[in-house]
mmCIF file of all heavy atoms in Angstrom:
data_model
loop_
_atom_site.group_PDB
_atom_site.id
_atom_site.type_symbol
_atom_site.label_atom_id
_atom_site.label_comp_id
_atom_site.label_asym_id
_atom_site.label_seq_id
_atom_site.Cartn_x
_atom_site.Cartn_y
_atom_site.Cartn_z
ATOM 1 N N PHE E 1 119.835 103.757 -71.183
ATOM 2 C CA PHE E 1 120.413 102.448 -71.465
ATOM 3 C C PHE E 1 119.501 101.715 -72.447
ATOM 4 O O PHE E 1 118.284 101.898 -72.429
ATOM 5 C CB PHE E 1 120.516 101.598 -70.190
ATOM 6 C CG PHE E 1 121.517 102.076 -69.182
ATOM 7 C CD1 PHE E 1 121.218 103.122 -68.324
ATOM 8 C CD2 PHE E 1 122.763 101.471 -69.081
ATOM 9 C CE1 PHE E 1 122.137 103.558 -67.383
ATOM 10 C CE2 PHE E 1 123.685 101.895 -68.148
ATOM 11 C CZ PHE E 1 123.379 102.946 -67.298
ATOM 12 N N THR E 2 120.095 100.861 -73.275
ATOM 13 C CA THR E 2 119.304 100.084 -74.221
ATOM 14 C C THR E 2 120.098 98.863 -74.671
ATOM 15 O O THR E 2 121.296 98.738 -74.374
ATOM 16 C CB THR E 2 118.934 100.942 -75.450
ATOM 17 O OG1 THR E 2 118.004 100.243 -76.265
ATOM 18 C CG2 THR E 2 120.162 101.283 -76.268
ATOM 19 N N ASN E 3 119.437 97.955 -75.389
ATOM 20 C CA ASN E 3 120.118 96.893 -76.125
ATOM 21 C C ASN E 3 119.882 97.055 -77.629
ATOM 22 O O ASN E 3 120.153 96.146 -78.397
ATOM 23 C CB ASN E 3 119.653 95.512 -75.656
ATOM 24 C CG ASN E 3 118.149 95.323 -75.803
ATOM 25 O OD1 ASN E 3 117.423 96.241 -76.192
ATOM 26 N ND2 ASN E 3 117.674 94.132 -75.481
ATOM 27 N N ASP E 4 119.365 98.218 -78.011
ATOM 28 C CA ASP E 4 119.052 98.526 -79.409
ATOM 29 C C ASP E 4 120.195 99.369 -79.984
ATOM 30 O O ASP E 4 120.201 100.604 -79.879
ATOM 31 C CB ASP E 4 117.721 99.290 -79.460
ATOM 32 C CG ASP E 4 117.235 99.540 -80.880
ATOM 33 O OD1 ASP E 4 118.051 99.447 -81.812
ATOM 34 O OD2 ASP E 4 116.030 99.827 -81.048
ATOM 35 N N THR E 5 121.170 98.703 -80.600
ATOM 36 C CA THR E 5 122.369 99.390 -81.077
ATOM 37 C C THR E 5 122.072 100.463 -82.124
ATOM 38 O O THR E 5 122.588 101.592 -82.008
ATOM 39 C CB THR E 5 123.380 98.370 -81.627
ATOM 40 O OG1 THR E 5 123.719 97.443 -80.577
ATOM 41 C CG2 THR E 5 124.648 99.058 -82.104
ATOM 42 N N PRO E 6 121.258 100.198 -83.163
ATOM 43 C CA PRO E 6 120.987 101.258 -84.145
ATOM 44 C C PRO E 6 120.333 102.491 -83.508
ATOM 45 O O PRO E 6 120.649 103.632 -83.870
ATOM 46 C CB PRO E 6 120.056 100.567 -85.152
ATOM 47 C CG PRO E 6 120.374 99.113 -85.024
ATOM 48 C CD PRO E 6 120.667 98.908 -83.575
ATOM 49 N N TRP E 7 119.398 102.268 -82.570
ATOM 50 C CA TRP E 7 118.733 103.385 -81.891
ATOM 51 C C TRP E 7 119.745 104.214 -81.122
ATOM 52 O O TRP E 7 119.745 105.444 -81.191
ATOM 53 C CB TRP E 7 117.659 102.823 -80.964
ATOM 54 C CG TRP E 7 116.811 103.820 -80.259
ATOM 55 C CD1 TRP E 7 115.746 104.509 -80.760
ATOM 56 C CD2 TRP E 7 116.922 104.220 -78.883
ATOM 57 N NE1 TRP E 7 115.190 105.318 -79.784
ATOM 58 C CE2 TRP E 7 115.884 105.156 -78.626
ATOM 59 C CE3 TRP E 7 117.786 103.868 -77.852
ATOM 60 C CZ2 TRP E 7 115.709 105.748 -77.383
ATOM 61 C CZ3 TRP E 7 117.611 104.462 -76.604
ATOM 62 C CH2 TRP E 7 116.584 105.388 -76.380
ATOM 63 N N ALA E 8 120.630 103.543 -80.381
ATOM 64 C CA ALA E 8 121.642 104.254 -79.599
ATOM 65 C C ALA E 8 122.592 105.032 -80.496
ATOM 66 O O ALA E 8 122.924 106.195 -80.220
ATOM 67 C CB ALA E 8 122.415 103.259 -78.735
ATOM 68 N N ASN E 9 123.033 104.399 -81.591
ATOM 69 C CA ASN E 9 123.958 105.082 -82.500
ATOM 70 C C ASN E 9 123.325 106.315 -83.116
ATOM 71 O O ASN E 9 123.987 107.346 -83.296
ATOM 72 C CB ASN E 9 124.403 104.120 -83.601
ATOM 73 C CG ASN E 9 125.330 103.027 -83.086
ATOM 74 O OD1 ASN E 9 125.893 103.145 -81.992
ATOM 75 N ND2 ASN E 9 125.482 101.975 -83.854
ATOM 76 N N ALA E 10 122.038 106.223 -83.436
ATOM 77 C CA ALA E 10 121.347 107.367 -84.040
ATOM 78 C C ALA E 10 121.238 108.518 -83.050
ATOM 79 O O ALA E 10 121.381 109.689 -83.426
ATOM 80 C CB ALA E 10 119.962 106.947 -84.527
ATOM 81 N N LEU E 11 120.988 108.206 -81.782
ATOM 82 C CA LEU E 11 120.848 109.264 -80.779
ATOM 83 C C LEU E 11 122.177 109.956 -80.496
ATOM 84 O O LEU E 11 122.207 111.160 -80.218
ATOM 85 C CB LEU E 11 120.290 108.699 -79.473
ATOM 86 C CG LEU E 11 118.835 108.211 -79.478
ATOM 87 C CD1 LEU E 11 118.405 107.861 -78.064
ATOM 88 C CD2 LEU E 11 117.885 109.242 -80.077
ATOM 89 N N THR E 12 123.278 109.204 -80.526
ATOM 90 C CA THR E 12 124.581 109.777 -80.190
ATOM 91 C C THR E 12 125.309 110.342 -81.403
ATOM 92 O O THR E 12 126.337 111.007 -81.239
ATOM 93 C CB THR E 12 125.466 108.721 -79.516
ATOM 94 O OG1 THR E 12 125.562 107.561 -80.349
ATOM 95 C CG2 THR E 12 124.884 108.314 -78.166
ATOM 96 N N ASP E 13 124.795 110.092 -82.595
ATOM 97 C CA ASP E 13 125.412 110.639 -83.807
ATOM 98 C C ASP E 13 125.315 112.169 -83.776
ATOM 99 O O ASP E 13 124.217 112.720 -83.669
ATOM 100 C CB ASP E 13 124.687 110.094 -85.037
ATOM 101 C CG ASP E 13 125.341 110.520 -86.342
ATOM 102 O OD1 ASP E 13 126.214 111.405 -86.323
ATOM 103 O OD2 ASP E 13 124.961 109.967 -87.388
ATOM 104 N N PRO E 14 126.453 112.886 -83.852
ATOM 105 C CA PRO E 14 126.383 114.353 -83.844
ATOM 106 C C PRO E 14 125.485 114.926 -84.922
ATOM 107 O O PRO E 14 124.927 116.019 -84.769
ATOM 108 C CB PRO E 14 127.849 114.762 -84.055
ATOM 109 C CG PRO E 14 128.645 113.599 -83.565
ATOM 110 C CD PRO E 14 127.826 112.384 -83.898
ATOM 111 N N ALA E 15 125.311 114.177 -86.019
ATOM 112 C CA ALA E 15 124.469 114.674 -87.112
ATOM 113 C C ALA E 15 123.006 114.787 -86.696
ATOM 114 O O ALA E 15 122.236 115.528 -87.313
ATOM 115 C CB ALA E 15 124.592 113.763 -88.333
ATOM 116 N N SER E 16 122.607 114.053 -85.653
ATOM 117 C CA SER E 16 121.208 114.125 -85.223
ATOM 118 C C SER E 16 120.881 115.458 -84.555
ATOM 119 O O SER E 16 119.726 115.877 -84.520
ATOM 120 C CB SER E 16 120.900 112.989 -84.246
ATOM 121 O OG SER E 16 121.502 113.229 -82.977
ATOM 122 N N LYS E 17 121.910 116.119 -83.996
ATOM 123 C CA LYS E 17 121.737 117.412 -83.321
ATOM 124 C C LYS E 17 120.663 117.363 -82.239
ATOM 125 O O LYS E 17 119.957 118.336 -81.990
ATOM 126 C CB LYS E 17 121.429 118.515 -84.335
ATOM 127 C CG LYS E 17 122.535 118.732 -85.351
ATOM 128 C CD LYS E 17 122.230 119.871 -86.292
ATOM 129 C CE LYS E 17 123.346 120.062 -87.308
ATOM 130 N NZ LYS E 17 123.049 121.160 -88.248
ATOM 131 N N LEU E 18 120.535 116.210 -81.588
ATOM 132 C CA LEU E 18 119.557 116.068 -80.524
ATOM 133 C C LEU E 18 120.028 116.851 -79.299
ATOM 134 O O LEU E 18 121.131 116.612 -78.796
ATOM 135 C CB LEU E 18 119.393 114.584 -80.169
ATOM 136 C CG LEU E 18 118.239 114.212 -79.247
ATOM 137 C CD1 LEU E 18 116.902 114.411 -79.967
ATOM 138 C CD2 LEU E 18 118.377 112.769 -78.788
ATOM 139 N N PRO E 19 119.239 117.803 -78.807
ATOM 140 C CA PRO E 19 119.714 118.627 -77.693
ATOM 141 C C PRO E 19 119.754 117.861 -76.372
ATOM 142 O O PRO E 19 118.878 117.066 -76.071
ATOM 143 C CB PRO E 19 118.678 119.764 -77.636
ATOM 144 C CG PRO E 19 117.441 119.175 -78.226
ATOM 145 C CD PRO E 19 117.900 118.213 -79.283
ATOM 146 N N LYS E 20 120.801 118.137 -75.609
ATOM 147 C CA LYS E 20 120.945 117.616 -74.247
ATOM 148 C C LYS E 20 121.069 118.823 -73.327
ATOM 149 O O LYS E 20 121.895 119.713 -73.566
ATOM 150 C CB LYS E 20 122.168 116.701 -74.156
ATOM 151 C CG LYS E 20 122.023 115.424 -74.994
ATOM 152 C CD LYS E 20 123.295 114.610 -75.030
ATOM 153 C CE LYS E 20 124.318 115.178 -75.977
ATOM 154 N NZ LYS E 20 123.934 115.025 -77.401
ATOM 155 N N VAL E 21 120.247 118.838 -72.285
ATOM 156 C CA VAL E 21 120.116 120.014 -71.432
ATOM 157 C C VAL E 21 120.687 119.716 -70.049
ATOM 158 O O VAL E 21 120.436 118.643 -69.475
ATOM 159 C CB VAL E 21 118.644 120.448 -71.327
ATOM 160 C CG1 VAL E 21 118.514 121.702 -70.461
ATOM 161 C CG2 VAL E 21 118.063 120.698 -72.721
ATOM 162 N N TYR E 22 121.445 120.686 -69.507
ATOM 163 C CA TYR E 22 122.146 120.515 -68.237
ATOM 164 C C TYR E 22 121.956 121.740 -67.351
ATOM 165 O O TYR E 22 121.797 122.860 -67.844
ATOM 166 C CB TYR E 22 123.653 120.348 -68.465
ATOM 167 C CG TYR E 22 124.032 119.212 -69.367
ATOM 168 C CD1 TYR E 22 123.921 119.323 -70.756
ATOM 169 C CD2 TYR E 22 124.557 118.025 -68.854
ATOM 170 C CE1 TYR E 22 124.294 118.280 -71.595
ATOM 171 C CE2 TYR E 22 124.933 116.982 -69.687
ATOM 172 C CZ TYR E 22 124.793 117.116 -71.057
ATOM 173 O OH TYR E 22 125.165 116.089 -71.883
ATOM 174 N N GLU E 23 122.016 121.508 -66.049
ATOM 175 C CA GLU E 23 122.152 122.594 -65.083
ATOM 176 C C GLU E 23 123.579 122.563 -64.546
ATOM 177 O O GLU E 23 124.054 121.515 -64.090
ATOM 178 C CB GLU E 23 121.145 122.445 -63.937
ATOM 179 C CG GLU E 23 119.710 122.687 -64.361
ATOM 180 C CD GLU E 23 118.731 122.595 -63.199
ATOM 181 O OE1 GLU E 23 119.192 122.385 -62.049
ATOM 182 O OE2 GLU E 23 117.525 122.728 -63.440
ATOM 183 N N LEU E 24 124.248 123.714 -64.616
ATOM 184 C CA LEU E 24 125.640 123.821 -64.186
ATOM 185 C C LEU E 24 125.749 124.806 -63.034
ATOM 186 O O LEU E 24 125.321 125.962 -63.155
ATOM 187 C CB LEU E 24 126.527 124.306 -65.333
ATOM 188 C CG LEU E 24 126.435 123.588 -66.676
ATOM 189 C CD1 LEU E 24 127.350 124.261 -67.690
ATOM 190 C CD2 LEU E 24 126.798 122.128 -66.532
ATOM 191 N N ARG E 25 126.318 124.358 -61.928
ATOM 192 C CA ARG E 25 126.629 125.278 -60.831
ATOM 193 C C ARG E 25 128.085 125.697 -60.988
ATOM 194 O O ARG E 25 128.981 124.858 -61.010
ATOM 195 C CB ARG E 25 126.398 124.615 -59.478
ATOM 196 C CG ARG E 25 126.472 125.597 -58.321
ATOM 197 C CD ARG E 25 126.046 124.959 -57.019
ATOM 198 N NE ARG E 25 124.697 124.401 -57.125
ATOM 199 C CZ ARG E 25 123.591 125.116 -57.071
ATOM 200 N NH1 ARG E 25 123.664 126.435 -56.947
ATOM 201 N NH2 ARG E 25 122.423 124.534 -57.170
ATOM 202 N N LEU E 26 128.316 126.993 -61.113
ATOM 203 C CA LEU E 26 129.646 127.523 -61.381
ATOM 204 C C LEU E 26 130.281 128.096 -60.130
ATOM 205 O O LEU E 26 129.602 128.344 -59.123
ATOM 206 C CB LEU E 26 129.567 128.604 -62.469
ATOM 207 C CG LEU E 26 128.890 128.184 -63.782
ATOM 208 C CD1 LEU E 26 128.839 129.368 -64.747
ATOM 209 C CD2 LEU E 26 129.608 126.995 -64.417
ATOM 210 N N ASP E 27 131.589 128.325 -60.210
ATOM 211 C CA ASP E 27 132.293 128.876 -59.055
ATOM 212 C C ASP E 27 132.055 130.372 -58.896
ATOM 213 O O ASP E 27 132.326 130.945 -57.834
ATOM 214 C CB ASP E 27 133.789 128.586 -59.158
ATOM 215 C CG ASP E 27 134.434 129.185 -60.413
ATOM 216 O OD1 ASP E 27 133.721 129.424 -61.411
ATOM 217 O OD2 ASP E 27 135.651 129.411 -60.399
ATOM 218 N N ARG E 28 131.535 131.015 -59.947
ATOM 219 C CA ARG E 28 131.208 132.447 -59.867
ATOM 220 C C ARG E 28 130.200 132.776 -60.957
ATOM 221 O O ARG E 28 129.970 131.983 -61.870
ATOM 222 C CB ARG E 28 132.464 133.314 -60.010
ATOM 223 C CG ARG E 28 133.219 133.092 -61.304
ATOM 224 C CD ARG E 28 134.593 133.759 -61.271
ATOM 225 N NE ARG E 28 135.380 133.465 -62.455
ATOM 226 C CZ ARG E 28 135.359 134.178 -63.569
ATOM 227 N NH1 ARG E 28 134.575 135.269 -63.652
ATOM 228 N NH2 ARG E 28 136.110 133.852 -64.603
ATOM 229 N N GLU E 29 129.608 133.937 -60.856
ATOM 230 C CA GLU E 29 128.595 134.362 -61.818
ATOM 231 C C GLU E 29 129.222 134.545 -63.194
ATOM 232 O O GLU E 29 130.268 135.181 -63.342
ATOM 233 C CB GLU E 29 127.974 135.683 -61.359
ATOM 234 C CG GLU E 29 126.695 136.053 -62.090
ATOM 235 C CD GLU E 29 125.512 135.216 -61.628
ATOM 236 O OE1 GLU E 29 125.380 134.975 -60.422
ATOM 237 O OE2 GLU E 29 124.717 134.813 -62.510
ATOM 238 N N ILE E 30 128.578 133.988 -64.211
ATOM 239 C CA ILE E 30 129.093 134.129 -65.567
ATOM 240 C C ILE E 30 128.701 135.491 -66.131
ATOM 241 O O ILE E 30 127.589 135.987 -65.894
ATOM 242 C CB ILE E 30 128.584 132.978 -66.472
ATOM 243 C CG1 ILE E 30 129.305 132.991 -67.818
ATOM 244 C CG2 ILE E 30 127.074 133.035 -66.639
ATOM 245 C CD1 ILE E 30 129.049 131.746 -68.655
ATOM 246 N N THR E 31 129.608 136.110 -66.862
ATOM 247 C CA THR E 31 129.344 137.437 -67.405
ATOM 248 C C THR E 31 128.564 137.338 -68.716
ATOM 249 O O THR E 31 128.550 136.293 -69.370
ATOM 250 C CB THR E 31 130.663 138.181 -67.677
ATOM 251 O OG1 THR E 31 131.375 137.505 -68.735
ATOM 252 C CG2 THR E 31 131.542 138.234 -66.422
ATOM 253 N N ASP E 32 127.938 138.440 -69.090
ATOM 254 C CA ASP E 32 127.208 138.463 -70.362
ATOM 255 C C ASP E 32 128.120 138.201 -71.557
ATOM 256 O O ASP E 32 127.750 137.422 -72.461
ATOM 257 C CB ASP E 32 126.493 139.810 -70.529
ATOM 258 C CG ASP E 32 125.305 139.953 -69.575
ATOM 259 O OD1 ASP E 32 124.827 138.920 -69.060
ATOM 260 O OD2 ASP E 32 124.863 141.092 -69.345
ATOM 261 N N PRO E 33 129.321 138.821 -71.634
ATOM 262 C CA PRO E 33 130.211 138.522 -72.774
ATOM 263 C C PRO E 33 130.598 137.039 -72.852
ATOM 264 O O PRO E 33 130.671 136.474 -73.949
ATOM 265 C CB PRO E 33 131.437 139.408 -72.504
ATOM 266 C CG PRO E 33 130.912 140.540 -71.695
ATOM 267 C CD PRO E 33 129.857 139.930 -70.812
ATOM 268 N N ASP E 34 130.812 136.413 -71.711
ATOM 269 C CA ASP E 34 131.175 134.994 -71.729
ATOM 270 C C ASP E 34 129.988 134.124 -72.146
ATOM 271 O O ASP E 34 130.172 133.078 -72.787
ATOM 272 C CB ASP E 34 131.703 134.555 -70.366
ATOM 273 C CG ASP E 34 133.127 135.039 -70.119
ATOM 274 O OD1 ASP E 34 133.824 135.346 -71.100
ATOM 275 O OD2 ASP E 34 133.538 135.115 -68.940
ATOM 276 N N MET E 35 128.789 134.548 -71.803
ATOM 277 C CA MET E 35 127.621 133.811 -72.273
ATOM 278 C C MET E 35 127.509 133.889 -73.789
ATOM 279 O O MET E 35 127.159 132.906 -74.450
ATOM 280 C CB MET E 35 126.350 134.340 -71.607
ATOM 281 C CG MET E 35 126.256 133.995 -70.126
ATOM 282 S SD MET E 35 124.760 134.624 -69.327
ATOM 283 C CE MET E 35 123.490 133.616 -70.075
ATOM 284 N N GLU E 36 127.830 135.041 -74.357
ATOM 285 C CA GLU E 36 127.807 135.180 -75.809
ATOM 286 C C GLU E 36 128.887 134.325 -76.462
ATOM 287 O O GLU E 36 128.665 133.720 -77.522
ATOM 288 C CB GLU E 36 127.972 136.649 -76.199
ATOM 289 C CG GLU E 36 126.745 137.509 -75.926
ATOM 290 C CD GLU E 36 125.495 136.933 -76.577
ATOM 291 O OE1 GLU E 36 125.549 136.570 -77.777
ATOM 292 O OE2 GLU E 36 124.464 136.825 -75.886
ATOM 293 N N ARG E 37 130.053 134.254 -75.843
ATOM 294 C CA ARG E 37 131.122 133.391 -76.357
ATOM 295 C C ARG E 37 130.676 131.929 -76.324
ATOM 296 O O ARG E 37 130.938 131.174 -77.260
ATOM 297 C CB ARG E 37 132.394 133.586 -75.532
ATOM 298 C CG ARG E 37 133.069 134.931 -75.704
ATOM 299 C CD ARG E 37 134.230 135.082 -74.746
ATOM 300 N NE ARG E 37 135.268 134.069 -74.989
ATOM 301 C CZ ARG E 37 136.254 133.811 -74.126
ATOM 302 N NH1 ARG E 37 136.318 134.455 -72.958
ATOM 303 N NH2 ARG E 37 137.159 132.889 -74.424
ATOM 304 N N PHE E 38 130.023 131.538 -75.238
ATOM 305 C CA PHE E 38 129.524 130.163 -75.110
ATOM 306 C C PHE E 38 128.532 129.858 -76.224
ATOM 307 O O PHE E 38 128.586 128.794 -76.843
ATOM 308 C CB PHE E 38 128.864 130.008 -73.740
ATOM 309 C CG PHE E 38 128.427 128.606 -73.411
ATOM 310 C CD1 PHE E 38 129.243 127.756 -72.680
ATOM 311 C CD2 PHE E 38 127.184 128.129 -73.821
ATOM 312 C CE1 PHE E 38 128.833 126.460 -72.375
ATOM 313 C CE2 PHE E 38 126.768 126.842 -73.523
ATOM 314 C CZ PHE E 38 127.600 126.012 -72.795
ATOM 315 N N ARG E 39 127.630 130.795 -76.484
ATOM 316 C CA ARG E 39 126.602 130.593 -77.512
ATOM 317 C C ARG E 39 127.207 130.465 -78.908
ATOM 318 O O ARG E 39 126.647 129.782 -79.774
ATOM 319 C CB ARG E 39 125.602 131.751 -77.484
ATOM 320 C CG ARG E 39 124.746 131.820 -76.209
ATOM 321 C CD ARG E 39 123.712 132.922 -76.291
ATOM 322 N NE ARG E 39 122.896 132.974 -75.091
ATOM 323 C CZ ARG E 39 122.916 133.977 -74.194
ATOM 324 N NH1 ARG E 39 123.714 135.030 -74.410
ATOM 325 N NH2 ARG E 39 122.154 133.946 -73.127
ATOM 326 N N SER E 40 128.338 131.114 -79.130
ATOM 327 C CA SER E 40 128.951 131.109 -80.457
ATOM 328 C C SER E 40 129.807 129.877 -80.711
ATOM 329 O O SER E 40 130.175 129.595 -81.858
ATOM 330 C CB SER E 40 129.825 132.360 -80.639
ATOM 331 O OG SER E 40 129.020 133.527 -80.525
ATOM 332 N N GLY E 41 130.124 129.133 -79.660
ATOM 333 C CA GLY E 41 131.048 128.007 -79.775
ATOM 334 C C GLY E 41 132.377 128.359 -79.150
ATOM 335 O O GLY E 41 132.841 129.510 -79.259
ATOM 336 N N VAL E 42 132.993 127.386 -78.493
ATOM 337 C CA VAL E 42 134.200 127.628 -77.714
ATOM 338 C C VAL E 42 135.331 126.748 -78.244
ATOM 339 O O VAL E 42 135.118 125.569 -78.569
ATOM 340 C CB VAL E 42 133.948 127.313 -76.221
ATOM 341 C CG1 VAL E 42 135.233 127.453 -75.406
ATOM 342 C CG2 VAL E 42 132.855 128.220 -75.662
ATOM 343 N N THR E 43 136.536 127.302 -78.318
ATOM 344 C CA THR E 43 137.715 126.513 -78.677
ATOM 345 C C THR E 43 138.220 125.789 -77.439
ATOM 346 O O THR E 43 138.551 126.426 -76.434
ATOM 347 C CB THR E 43 138.820 127.394 -79.265
ATOM 348 O OG1 THR E 43 138.315 128.059 -80.435
ATOM 349 C CG2 THR E 43 140.029 126.567 -79.649
ATOM 350 N N LEU E 44 138.294 124.464 -77.499
ATOM 351 C CA LEU E 44 138.668 123.649 -76.348
ATOM 352 C C LEU E 44 140.183 123.498 -76.249
ATOM 353 O O LEU E 44 140.935 123.949 -77.109
ATOM 354 C CB LEU E 44 137.995 122.283 -76.448
ATOM 355 C CG LEU E 44 136.470 122.294 -76.520
ATOM 356 C CD1 LEU E 44 135.930 120.873 -76.652
ATOM 357 C CD2 LEU E 44 135.866 122.973 -75.291
ATOM 358 N N ASP E 45 140.611 122.817 -75.184
ATOM 359 C CA ASP E 45 142.037 122.658 -74.920
ATOM 360 C C ASP E 45 142.754 121.824 -75.978
ATOM 361 O O ASP E 45 143.980 121.892 -76.102
ATOM 362 C CB ASP E 45 142.263 122.039 -73.538
ATOM 363 C CG ASP E 45 141.356 120.839 -73.272
ATOM 364 O OD1 ASP E 45 140.744 120.330 -74.234
ATOM 365 O OD2 ASP E 45 141.242 120.422 -72.104
ATOM 366 N N ASP E 46 142.017 121.022 -76.761
ATOM 367 C CA ASP E 46 142.644 120.234 -77.817
ATOM 368 C C ASP E 46 142.615 120.951 -79.166
ATOM 369 O O ASP E 46 142.995 120.374 -80.188
ATOM 370 C CB ASP E 46 141.969 118.867 -77.938
ATOM 371 C CG ASP E 46 140.487 118.966 -78.295
ATOM 372 O OD1 ASP E 46 139.990 120.100 -78.482
ATOM 373 O OD2 ASP E 46 139.823 117.922 -78.374
ATOM 374 N N GLY E 47 142.157 122.195 -79.171
ATOM 375 C CA GLY E 47 142.100 122.975 -80.401
ATOM 376 C C GLY E 47 140.806 122.856 -81.165
ATOM 377 O O GLY E 47 140.566 123.619 -82.108
#
């Protein structure tokens, strides 16, 4: 959270490519091929 609008905009700008790291608990073990698909980029439900 902040009150610094330029700072916030810079952090959320996709051009900054600032990494955000998450831990995801899945319903089943992810396969190696699906991990490779994830790494390459995924086509979402909106195309």
Side-chain angles (χ1 to χ4, degrees):
F1 291 80
T2 189
N3 58 356
D4 186 342
T5 301
W7 184 79
N9 289 343
L11 292 187
T12 55
D13 185 348
S16 73
K17 298 183 180 179
L18 190 69
K20 294 173 282 290
V21 181
Y22 303 78
E23 290 183 2
L24 309 178
R25 190 172 304 282
L26 306 178
D27 60 336
R28 58 192 175 89
E29 194 75 41
I30 190 169
T31 66
D32 289 341
D34 284 339
M35 290 180 69
E36 287 306 312
R37 291 174 62 194
F38 186 95
R39 293 184 179 112
S40 299
V42 175
T43 301
L44 302 179
D45 46 14
D46 61 2

